[in-house]
Amino acid sequence: MQIILASANAKKIKELKAILGYENIVSYKEILGDFEIIEDGVSFSENAWIKARAIENRVQESEGDYLIIADDSGLCVEALDGMPSIYSARFSTIKASAKELNERRFEIPSEGGSDEANNLKLLECLKELGIQESKAKFVCTIALCGKVGGERIEGEYSGELEGKVINAPLNPQAFGYDPLFIPNGYEMTLDKIEEKNTLSHRFKALQKLKKFLDGIL
Ligand code: ITT
């Protein structure tokens, strides 16, 4: 059976593959080519399902079993009223100050930003608010759909990782906001924590998914 990841983010794909540990995992671009998926949902759940359905619409004709796994995730910062949240990948393209973000006065961005630009935007916001750190959490919601033994299956699983964001140096090799995030119980940022894939929001969501799949595969 083919397991298709509904993600175009290479760093996310690497983590999903490592945590899932199944064989036959491919990213959608490897089998369906490159196309844009417009994530215009208003929650992690909605965006995860938008990605899952966009892929499923293109594979439904296939005869065999398949699974589609879509991850929508992001960082929620308390001092920014939970932002950047579902806009985490697009944060740097939001033309709004921290104050405007807190008052929810901003236009929804469509363009993605680089990890570096997104990190710089977060640091700018902390500076504007005059703080060195804020409580924060990573959230991951996974949408699962597919056909197993000819039967249709669907599921949704979520995980969170609580901690804080701090004013710290950037790390171009790291994934997303990892260089600015310290999980509770740790004293180093997530990009330096080797066991990230055994404690992350993504790991927690995928543990639940694997429990479900182990029962049916
Ligand atoms: P796909 O939609 O193609 O999967 P994406 O990067 O656009 O790629 P999301 O819409 O789910 O994915 O946005 C996730 C963003 O949240 C990601 O780009 C990072 O900025 C941030 N993020 C999510 N999980 C993270 C993690 O484990 N570590 C650091 N940053 C993370």
Side-chain angles (χ1 to χ4, degrees):
M1 174 169 54
Q2 194 154 55
I3 301 178
I4 306 163
L5 301 179
S7 175
N9 182 324
K11 290 173 183 168
K12 188 196 273 186
I13 290 170
K14 192 172 169 207
E15 288 191 5
L16 287 169
K17 283 186 174 173
I19 298 168
L20 284 164
Y22 299 128
E23 285 174 12
N24 305 327
I25 305 184
V26 291
S27 69
Y28 78 86
K29 285 191 174 178
E30 289 174 65
I31 51 166
L32 299 171
D34 199 0
F35 57 91
E36 199 191 358
I37 302 174
I38 312 272
E39 294 176 39
D40 55 3
V42 297
S43 63
F44 290 110
S45 170
E46 278 189 23
N47 281 338
W49 282 107
I50 286 169
K51 291 184 247 195
R53 301 269 183 248
I55 306 305
E56 188 162 41
N57 287 340
R58 289 168 160 90
V59 295
Q60 244 164 10
E61 301 306 315
S62 82
E63 302 267 302
D65 287 358
Y66 62 88
L67 288 175
I68 294 163
I69 294 175
D71 163 321
D72 200 65
S73 45
L75 177 72
C76 302
V77 178
E78 204 172 89
L80 296 174
D81 193 29
M83 285 286 282
S85 183
I86 59 167
Y87 308 114
S88 292
R90 301 170 253 174
F91 193 34
S92 66
T93 63
I94 300 181
K95 305 274 171 277
S97 65
K99 186 167 179 286
E100 287 166 331
L101 290 171
N102 262 320
E103 292 165 358
R104 299 267 152 181
R105 286 194 290 124
F106 62 90
E107 277 183 30
I108 293 171
S110 53
E111 292 278 302
S114 68
D115 284 348
E116 187 189 12
N118 291 334
N119 278 316
L120 287 171
K121 171 87 178 175
L122 178 56
L123 290 175
E124 251 174 51
C125 287
L126 296 180
K127 196 170 165 199
E128 182 195 324
L129 295 172
I131 54 176
Q132 287 294 318
E133 58 180 61
S134 166
K135 267 179 84 169
K137 66 179 178 184
F138 276 116
V139 177
C140 174
T141 297
I142 302 276
L144 168 77
C145 61
K147 216 167 64 171
V148 177
E151 296 282 320
R152 173 145 191 88
I153 61 137
E154 266 191 17
E156 184 180 314
Y157 312 90
S158 286
E160 294 189 356
L161 178 64
E162 296 195 349
K164 62 181 177 185
V165 287
I166 58 153
N167 187 349
L170 302 189
N171 171 0
Q173 269 79 51
F175 174 24
Y177 300 90
D178 282 355
L180 304 183
F181 183 88
I182 299 184
N184 286 346
Y186 284 82
E187 285 184 358
M188 56 183 144
T189 50
L190 196 48
D191 58 321
K192 303 208 170 55
I193 299 176
E194 273 179 30
E195 67 272 25
K196 176 184 176 186
N197 284 340
T198 66
L199 59 92
S200 71
H201 46 308
R202 186 159 294 108
F203 166 77
K204 290 175 185 166
L206 289 177
Q207 280 299 97
K208 297 174 195 168
L209 174 145
K210 281 173 93 171
K211 205 165 162 197
F212 169 73
L213 287 182
D214 287 348
I216 59 163
L217 290 183

